[in-house]
Structures are given as structure tokens and as C-alpha cells.
Amino acid sequence: MLEGLRAGQTPFTGAQTYVMLLTMTKKSTKAPAKKTAAKAPAQEEAKPSRNAGKEGGSGKVAKTQLVEMVADKANLTKKQSEEAVSAMLGVIVDAIKGGQSVGLPGLGTLSVKQTAARTGVRPGTSERIQIPAGKKVAFKVASTLKSSLGVTDDAAAE
């Protein structure tokens, strides 16, 4: 291929030729890979799984996991549970879009709040900017949930 380039034949554009030459002449900056012995089965089991910690309280519960939990608790099929969860989330979103508050017993209340126009600072340049008034979704945690978690009002205000 290089012989064709030297002979004046240009099967590629200048940019393509330049990139090809760079990739052909560039030396690898990676250290040579070390040969290691095959991992023992005990070492592979010790690795944390992808969903590690999700059931123990840390991490985020995804919609698919929520669907599985609802299916188990309500003795529904996963398809029925997925339809129920999707319908409930859709109703909540529609109500919030309509400006209504949504009370979830034992959990809290979702509501839409107005924000006032204010002056802010752009982080990169320290330039003062005007932030327009708008709306935001607020969540007020139910007192029963707060008390069961041991959250005080002082800690919730922070």
C-alpha cells in the first residue's frame, strides 16, 4: 500500500492518507500486558455483582426492580405489575403537569412550586446572570417516614 502512495497514486484523500500513516507509524504507549495465571473460581465469586448493595438499602431501585417487587408483594404477574406501575407513574406525572399535588400515604407529597426570578453567577466566568421565574417539583416527606428513618426536622432542613 505504501508503494502505491510513493508512486504518486492516491487512492485516498489527503486526510485519510495522513491518518493511515499516523496509525501505521505510531508506537503503542501501553505497557506490555503481563501474563497472569487463570483466576481461581473462589476469586471470581468474591467479585461484587452488578446489583450488589441494591437490596441492602444502598443504591437506586430501578423501574424493573420496582416492577418485580410489586409483583411479589401483590401476587401479580410481572406483566400485570409493569402495567400497574406504569399506570400509576403516568397518573402522577399527569397530575403534576396539571399543577396538582399528589399525596402518597406514608411516603410524602409531590407538588409544583413557583420559583421567583433571581440573580445567579455563571461558574466559569463569574458573570452575573438573571435567572427567570419558573416552576419546580417539590417533595415533602411524610412525618411517619421521617420518624421511622430517625430524621429530625433540623437534619431535614439542611
Side-chain angles (χ1 to χ4, degrees), residues 5-16:
L5 293 175
R6 288 186 192 126
Q9 299 173 350
T10 55
F12 304 103
T13 66
Q16 289 173 329

Side-chain angles (χ1 to χ4, degrees), residues 61-86:
V61 177
K63 183 180 175 186
T64 55
Q65 294 168 321
L66 188 62
V67 166
E68 290 174 9
M69 288 187 255
V70 169
D72 290 341
K73 288 256 185 189
N75 293 325
L76 298 171
T77 65
K78 285 187 182 178
K79 183 174 175 91
Q80 292 170 329
S81 175
E82 198 278 328
E83 289 172 359
V85 168
S86 292

Side-chain angles (χ1 to χ4, degrees), residues 38-112:
K39 290 183 182 177
Q43 289 175 339
E44 290 178 8
E45 290 175 12
K47 279 185 175 180
S49 68
R50 183 175 175 171
N51 294 326
K54 299 233 177 178
E55 291 179 19
S58 64
K60 176 180 166 183
V61 177
K63 183 180 175 186
T64 55
Q65 294 168 321
L66 188 62
V67 166
E68 290 174 9
M69 288 187 255
V70 169
D72 290 341
K73 288 256 185 189
N75 293 325
L76 298 171
T77 65
K78 285 187 182 178
K79 183 174 175 91
Q80 292 170 329
S81 175
E82 198 278 328
E83 289 172 359
V85 168
S86 292
M88 182 178 163
L89 294 174
V91 168
I92 291 171
V93 168
D94 290 343
I96 290 172
K97 282 182 180 178
Q100 296 177 313
S101 293
V102 178
L104 302 169
L107 189 61
T109 303
L110 288 160
S111 61
V112 178

Side-chain angles (χ1 to χ4, degrees), residues 114-121 128-136:
Q114 295 289 331
T115 59
R118 62 196 187 279
T119 302
V121 178
R128 297 251 177 223
I129 57 173
Q130 187 63 28
I131 300 170
K135 296 178 183 179
K136 69 177 184 177

